[in-house]
Structure formats: C-alpha cells, structure tokens
Amino acid sequence: MKQRSICKFCGQEKKLIKAHIIPRSFYLDYKHGQYTSVDSISGKFKIQQSGAYDKNILCADCDGKIIGEFDKEGSRILLKEVPRTAIYNNYDKAIYYLAPEHYNHKYLRNFFISILWRASISNLREFDIVHLGEYEDKALKILKGKEEYKNLFKTYIYKYPNGKDYNHFTFIGKSKVANHNAYVINMAGYFIQIILNGKNHPYNEIEQMQNMLVDDKGIWIFESEDLYNQHRKLAHNKMQEMWQKGFKPPFLPKSRI
C-alpha cells in the first residue's frame, strides 16, 4: 500500500502521484524523444524522458481536476491552432493578437502561476533556482480562487520562430525587469516572462508593453528572430562554460515546430 502524505495544494493526507512541474506536452516530442535537464547545483546535464515530475507534492485530485484544467488551457492556447490575428509580420518579427473570447484569462494566468508554484514547492534539484518566498502562499491563494492579487505575476508571452533547435530547451530561470524580480519559463518554443510584483515598474508607463501583458482584454504574442538569437547565444555560452568544466551535454534533436 502506497504511503500517504500531505498534498501541498489541498493540505489533506492522501496518496501522492507523479506530478509534472511543466506539463509533458511542453517537452517537444515527449512521447518519442527525450529532453536535456541541467542540475542547477552541479551544472551537470542528464537525459530524461516525459518531463520532470515530483511524486511528493500533489494528490491525484488536485493535480488532475484543478491544476490539470489550467494546464489544458495553457496547452490549448500555446500549442493548438487557436485563432490568432497577425497584426504585424515581416521577415524577422511578428506580433499576434488573440481576442478575449478565444481564451479563459483566469485559467491561462493560473497556468503560468501554477508552473512557478510547483517548481517552488518541489525539491527537484532541476528547479532549485525557483524560490517564490512570500509569493508562494499568494500564488496558492490565486490558484485556489481565494485572492486575485492583480499586481502580482504580470506575464508576457514571447515566441521563437518555428523550426529552431533551441525550441527544445526546457527550463525555468531567474530574471530582472527594471530591478523587479522575475522568472522566465522557456518551453516548447516560448519564452514566458513573469514579474513577481508588477506594481510601479517602468513598463506601466509604456503603452506597447501594457498591451502585451496577459490580461482579459486580449493577448499579444511577440515573435522575434533577434530574441531567439540572443537567447541561443546565452545558452551556447553557458554550454561552452560547462564543456570547459568537463561536462558533455548530448546533442539536441532537430525541432519539429
């Protein structure tokens, strides 16, 4: 009989399951392929399949019936053919607009927050860099529908062009936006930037950046070849650094998106 433990979402003593931190569908080709993870402490690379999961954080009901619904909306919006209007498009940049009737804002916002929350409560070394601190409990209240905290977890969606090798990189990292603490989620060809506390940051004064926030008035998704190349260069430099230390990461598979 499987040992019962406390579920970190509902707080009840239950059988816990293998709960994915980032949904499996956001690891490209997870059904047939593998992905590369990096130990945030040692810097060592390792091959894994089907995405990183933690079997000590969630029960089946909370993972499947609550958080799972947020994951479905995230997958539907980012990975499925959801109607988008290209309001700007040239050879290296594009801006897409998704009208509010085509998505559930609450579920989509909760999808991004839930990934950070799961990473923060997990003891997996792969996500050791994620510590929400005082925002961990606030994130849980948002996910449970007890609070909104509209100034918290301000989110921007950036997309890499299709067919790029580095679209297979899946990780969560720390970031800064005008001295405001933020995290980035890199997954399935997307670069999601989440500002923990968005109150009084300079982006509030820039209309274009305000428009790009994920809210209930519509979603703007910015696709950029330049952004991809910048992040590819940072990833390449990091890999070179690890090679010099003696670590040998496997080659990335070719992207299919």
Side-chain angles (χ1 to χ4, degrees), residues 33-34 77 91 96-97 102 107-108 110 149 181 194 201 235:
Q34 301 168 323
I77 297 303
Y91 73 97
Y96 301 96
Y97 174 73
H102 294 304
Y107 276 32
L108 185 62
N110 284 3
Y149 296 118
N181 291 326
I194 304 175
H201 73 86

Side-chain angles (χ1 to χ4, degrees), residues 138-160:
K138 292 178 179 178
L140 181 58
K141 289 179 179 178
I142 293 173
L143 297 177
K144 288 185 173 183
K146 294 182 177 181
E147 299 284 353
E148 286 190 65
Y149 296 118
K150 291 184 178 180
N151 282 321
L152 304 185
F153 304 105
K154 298 262 181 137
T155 302
Y156 297 89
I157 302 176
Y158 302 93
K159 185 180 183 301
Y160 300 141

Side-chain angles (χ1 to χ4, degrees), residues 153-190:
F153 304 105
K154 298 262 181 137
T155 302
Y156 297 89
I157 302 176
Y158 302 93
K159 185 180 183 301
Y160 300 141
N162 292 342
K164 300 294 186 179
D165 291 349
Y166 279 78
N167 288 355
H168 277 267
F169 266 95
T170 304
F171 63 86
I172 303 176
K174 285 184 176 180
S175 179
K176 282 280 189 181
V177 179
N179 294 321
H180 285 66
N181 291 326
Y183 282 95
V184 295
I185 304 172
N186 199 96
M187 58 186 185
Y190 285 92

Side-chain angles (χ1 to χ4, degrees), residues 56 192 199:
N56 298 305
I192 311 298
K199 186 177 181 181

Side-chain angles (χ1 to χ4, degrees), residues 78-133:
L78 299 181
L79 302 181
K80 303 295 194 299
E81 292 296 327
V82 176
R84 299 177 184 176
T85 302
I87 61 175
Y88 177 82
N89 199 348
N90 68 8
Y91 73 97
D92 65 348
K93 293 183 179 66
I95 300 176
Y96 301 96
Y97 174 73
L98 183 64
E101 60 265 26
H102 294 304
Y103 66 94
N104 183 319
H105 168 249
K106 178 181 177 181
Y107 276 32
L108 185 62
R109 181 185 184 227
N110 284 3
F111 166 64
F112 296 126
I113 294 173
S114 71
I115 291 178
L116 288 186
W117 179 76
R118 281 176 273 184
S120 184
I121 65 172
S122 173
N123 287 325
L124 295 180
R125 292 178 65 171
E126 185 173 339
F127 302 104
D128 188 67
I129 197 172
V130 184
H131 297 285
L132 294 184

